[in-house]
Amino acid sequence: TIINYIIIDQNDHTIGKVKEVLKIPNNELIQTYIDDKEVLIPYSKANIIEIDKTKKTIKLEIADGLLDI
């Protein structure tokens, strides 16, 4: 499970912690919070760069504008 892993984007910026993985038809989303606002990030093999189980980090390719809230 990746719950509580630190989310890092493709530019090595820390985004937040994984609060939950939401499974919806044909898709999975990572739930995190930025400034107390819920943010859902697509979670699929296509956007996973690296999962480091030792450091408990997950590095994702995050589309431009997705985190603009």
Side-chain angles (χ1 to χ4, degrees), residues 2-57:
I2 61 165
I3 302 299
N4 290 322
Y5 275 40
I6 301 293
I7 305 163
I8 301 170
D9 71 9
Q10 64 272 21
N11 299 313
D12 293 321
H13 296 119
T14 300
I15 305 302
K17 275 191 177 182
V18 177
K19 297 299 179 190
E20 193 167 343
V21 177
L22 307 172
K23 296 181 183 195
I24 58 175
N26 302 315
N27 203 0
E28 288 187 9
L29 300 169
I30 290 177
Q31 178 190 49
T32 189
Y33 288 86
I34 299 173
D35 297 327
D36 294 324
K37 294 181 184 176
E38 179 186 50
V39 177
L40 300 175
I41 302 170
Y43 177 55
S44 68
K45 288 182 182 179
N47 71 326
I48 297 171
I49 298 170
E50 177 184 43
I51 297 176
D52 187 324
K53 293 180 180 178
T54 304
K55 294 180 182 176
K56 294 195 172 188
T57 60

